[in-house]
Amino acid sequence: MPPKSILKKTPAAASTQTAVAVAANAPPPPRAVNQRHLNTAVHHARIYEQRKQVEADILDAVFELLDFPTSPDADPTRPSPSDAHRFRQAIVPFQPSDYDGLIEERNIADKCGYTLCPRPKGKAPSTARKQFVETSKGVQIVDRKRLEMWCSDDCARRALFVKVQLNEEPAWLRQGDYGTEIDLMVKNTEEHHEALPLRLKKTAAPAPKDTEEEDAAAAWAARDDALADLAIERGETPGRLSKVNKDLITDKIKERVVKFPPTPPSLPPQSSGQSHMAIEGHVPKSARDAEQAKDSDDEDDKQDWDKALPG
Amino acid sequence: MAESDHKARQEMLDMWRIYRTTKEMCRDRGYNVLPEECSISFDDFARKFGTESGAIARGQMNFSAIPSEDMVRKYTPPATPKVPNPEAAIGTLWVEFNADENIGMKNLREFIHHLLNGSYYSGIMIVVKPLSGMAMRGIRGASALNGGNGPKGGIEVFLEQDLKINITKHELVPTHLLLSTEEKAQLLKRYRLKETQLPRIQVTDPVAKYYGLRRGQVVKIIRKSETAGRYASYRWAI
Ligand SMILES: [Zn+2]
């Protein structure tokens, strides 16, 4: 009697055992394609692609910011609007660790770690690993490396001010746009307000590299169109996937398409009768319904300003 | 004085060994390398790459290597109806010995520019100390740099320390032979395998690094066995 298997016998395994014995070397039979698995694969492939792109963007940004500021006599406290703008824009996909990397790279190139400072990095009085430094709080012991990162404490402060604003989440996992705008500590604020847009412009999506990517993009576009049509048929707002379709939240990695400029929220013009119902400026739906029934016009909901925002 | 002389001579000896290993590595990968380059004597080496004071001039050791016909064949994907004349995924190699102890993105950028200006397909950097973390990231995705126009064959980095001896000359390291794309296809067909069913070798494995294996390639490993004579196995690089 052959040794008895300790593994649980499933009916499927039992029935295919003979077949397996015949063609042990054959590649496993193709599994039926499961749409959900396929979606998951596509989803992960897209994240992987985005990750590769973000990585390359960050490295190219470091290459560029190594040479900043563009003028050798720039003043880090009053940067030129174009340098400041480019710095703020290039650094958006950075995580704090990437930013530390940029500082290290500038130091290797003998530059002050703060991107908008043209001066060479500081030089410690000796080559010892720990250094005594005179500060306003008396003599302190500091790592030599820290001492040689910046040309001055002022630059250290300005650089740190940038770092604390950086998003800890990798840019390829961030929702919607890359992230928020980064502010700088500058003395010539007025110049920058004139020159800089309040929000950084979204960089244009890179052109598809080959036909295969184009095909994929077309397929995704077609899918989005189909979903939009379906949504209209169902009486939903286009761009918002219904809950049924939501098992893979693909809309989170969709590029933002701005159809018209967002407008700030405003109260409906005739809202005097509702003001007592408002909670921090928002009028609950029940109160609005009551009001609308009174008005008896079926125009669009004026409160629906958020459809201009990314879905 | 005698102390520094001794140090300079030791460094010269180390660099001589490193140079020979590097040449052997290029030869073993399939580049055209003359036998006398791999077996250069210490005296010849010191004369060729030493300064008057007896120090090593690493910059003089840089060289380029052209792939042999056989190597080009191995690296050429099979023709398909869509691509009747496929391009070989290999080309001229640039090898640089860098004396800098602090290598970061700035050096990497210069290296990439040199590769692109000289139309090199790939590059090898041989360095004294490990690169900065950011520069290592740059190396890993080198072909995507420069707005997607980096060196096609990428960049590899070796520490001088790791090339002082040629690990493949160790008696326990069996012969590794890279299969061409066609040979790989035949192997999989003959054994009715998918590549994912093969045992694996990591591209970061020292021997894989020596041969410059890329993800997806298959190597044939030939061992001498006391009981079975010669014994071949295959590994899929990941
Ligand atoms: Zn500074």
Side-chain angles (χ1 to χ4, degrees):
Chain A
M1 191 182 141
K4 210 174 141 197
S5 167
I6 58 164
L7 297 174
K8 219 187 251 174
K9 237 186 204 147
T10 62
S15 66
T16 53
Q17 239 167 16
T18 41
V20 168
V22 171
N25 259 346
R31 260 167 285 165
V33 179
N34 176 323
Q35 189 57 40
R36 199 181 138 77
H37 290 172
L38 201 65
N39 287 349
T40 310
V42 169
H43 178 69
H44 284 286
R46 279 174 67 86
I47 288 184
Y48 177 72
E49 275 306 310
Q50 288 194 329
R51 176 179 182 157
K52 266 196 349 201
Q53 188 56 50
V54 167
E55 287 272 338
D57 286 349
I58 290 173
L59 292 165
D60 279 334
V62 171
F63 277 142
E64 188 186 350
L65 298 177
L66 263 183
D67 297 332
F68 264 46
T70 49
S71 156
D73 50 8
D75 177 355
T77 67
R78 314 181 78 86
S80 78
S82 64
D83 273 11
H85 177 58
R86 184 64 198 122
F87 176 37
R88 295 168 62 185
Q89 191 180 45
I91 208 167
V92 167
F94 280 49
Q95 289 171 261
S97 57
D98 300 324
Y99 185 64
D100 288 341
L102 168 64
I103 293 165
E104 186 191 1
E105 294 302 333
R106 286 182 61 89
N107 288 161
I108 291 174
D110 265 324
K111 287 186 164 154
C112 171
Y114 185 48
T115 305
L116 297 174
C117 174
R119 290 187 284 266
K121 66 177 186 181
K123 192 116 185 76
S126 77
T127 54
R129 227 159 55 81
K130 298 277 181 186
Q131 307 267 331
F132 294 98
V133 193
E134 292 251 19
T135 68
S136 51
K137 288 178 239 153
V139 176
Q140 290 193 322
I141 301 172
V142 187
D143 272 351
R144 177 162 71 103
K145 211 166 178 189
R146 229 195 91 67
L147 213 59
E148 295 195 334
M149 270 186 185
W150 323 102
C151 73
S152 61
D153 281 351
D154 188 62
C155 276
R157 235 187 335 268
R158 285 172 205 279
L160 187 67
F161 182 71
V162 170
K163 184 177 172 181
V164 296
Q165 297 174 65
L166 296 173
N167 194 332
E168 305 226 3
E169 195 172 12
W172 60 91
L173 296 178
R174 294 178 200 165
Q175 294 183 14
D177 245 342
Y178 256 178
T180 47
E181 144 195 32
I182 306 294
D183 283 328
L184 301 177
M185 251 162 94
V186 291
K187 286 185 180 156
N188 50 346
T189 326
E190 326 73 49
E191 264 179 69
H192 294 276
H193 273 306
E194 277 159 33
L196 302 182
L198 260 163
R199 284 267 158 201
L200 294 176
K201 277 204 196 92
K202 195 161 69 85
T203 45
K209 278 185 194 114
D210 56 32
T211 45
E212 236 172 84
E213 277 183 32
E214 267 169 34
D215 286 349
W220 278 95
R223 176 186 170 281
D224 288 345
D225 286 347
L227 283 174
D229 289 345
L230 178 64
I232 289 166
E233 258 177 63
R234 287 179 177 162
E236 295 166 357
T237 317
R240 282 187 208 155
L241 294 181
S242 67
K243 286 220 166 58
V244 203
N245 283 323
K246 233 178 162 178
D247 59 353
L248 260 177
I249 310 173
T250 44
D251 57 339
K252 287 201 174 158
I253 50 169
K254 219 171 67 180
E255 285 293 327
R256 174 163 73 163
V257 185
V258 181
K259 295 199 183 74
F260 43 87
T263 48
S266 59
L267 291 171
Q270 35 47 276
S271 65
S272 58
Q274 292 182 339
S275 56
H276 65 287
M277 295 299 289
I279 302 163
E280 291 197 337
H282 174 77
V283 180
K285 192 168 178 296
S286 55
R288 269 187 281 133
D289 287 348
E291 189 75 14
Q292 252 161 24
K294 231 181 339 174
D295 287 353
S296 77
D297 54 7
D298 54 358
E299 65 186 311
D300 275 346
D301 187 353
K302 290 191 192 71
Q303 290 271 330
D304 199 10
W305 54 270
D306 67 347
K307 69 185 163 200
L309 294 178
Chain B
M1 188 66 208
E3 172 72 15
S4 69
D5 271 359
H6 176 74
K7 244 183 116 180
R9 187 180 159 78
Q10 186 57 50
E11 193 181 11
M12 187 66 81
L13 265 171
D14 285 345
M15 290 317 292
W16 170 57
R17 296 197 178 101
I18 291 160
Y19 183 77
R20 284 174 55 147
T21 307
T22 308
K23 285 284 185 182
E24 286 162 0
M25 181 170 82
C26 292
R27 177 200 62 199
D28 293 346
R29 287 182 182 199
Y31 292 98
N32 286 326
V33 178
L34 296 172
E36 52 266 38
E37 292 180 285
C38 296
S39 59
I40 185 170
S41 72
F42 176 69
D43 288 342
D44 285 349
F45 178 83
R47 213 170 300 128
K48 207 169 165 192
F49 302 118
T51 62
E52 277 178 25
S53 61
I56 178 79
R58 282 183 176 76
Q60 305 280 312
M61 294 166 61
N62 301 345
F63 65 88
S64 64
I66 296 166
S68 64
E69 269 177 42
D70 189 49
M71 189 182 198
V72 170
R73 180 188 61 78
K74 275 193 178 179
Y75 277 84
T76 307
T80 59
K82 223 177 168 185
V83 190
N85 295 308
E87 232 177 272
I90 199 73
T92 311
L93 168 75
W94 174 251
V95 182
E96 192 166 302
F97 296 82
N98 199 319
D100 222 320
E101 295 214 345
N102 266 321
I103 298 190
M105 292 291 271
K106 201 173 171 235
N107 309 73
L108 179 60
R109 183 171 59 185
E110 282 158 16
F111 191 70
I112 289 176
H113 281 167
H114 183 78
L115 294 182
L116 296 177
N117 289 340
S119 305
Y120 294 105
Y121 189 84
S122 56
I124 293 182
M125 236 185 190
I126 294 162
V127 297
V128 183
K129 287 199 174 158
L131 270 57
S132 71
M134 198 53 101
M136 266 331 278
R137 279 166 63 180
I139 298 277
R140 260 175 255 134
S143 56
L145 290 182
N146 207 17
N149 294 314
K152 273 191 208 156
I155 299 171
E156 297 163 64
V157 179
F158 287 87
L159 284 178
E160 285 185 355
Q161 186 66 34
D162 297 338
L163 295 174
K164 274 190 196 168
I165 52 152
N166 186 335
I167 48 164
T168 61
K169 284 186 172 171
H170 192 283
E171 56 176 326
L172 292 180
V173 176
T175 311
H176 286 58
L177 272 179
L178 174 66
L179 298 192
S180 69
T181 343
E182 210 179 327
E183 289 162 338
K184 175 181 156 185
Q186 282 170 359
L187 171 82
L188 297 177
K189 203 174 152 203
R190 175 148 36 105
Y191 292 104
R192 297 220 250 158
L193 287 169
K194 284 208 260 182
E195 57 185 8
T196 51
Q197 292 172 304
L198 289 173
R200 297 168 185 202
I201 183 169
Q202 289 208 301
V203 290
T204 50
D205 169 277
V207 177
K209 265 196 85 183
Y210 179 89
Y211 287 104
L213 294 190
R214 301 179 191 164
R215 286 196 175 79
Q217 289 181 327
V218 172
V219 273
K220 179 178 187 177
I221 300 177
I222 304 160
R223 276 171 224 278
K224 285 199 191 81
S225 153
E226 289 187 10
T227 50
R230 274 150 54 95
Y231 162 81
S233 61
Y234 299 87
R235 288 195 174 247
W236 182 49
I238 56 158

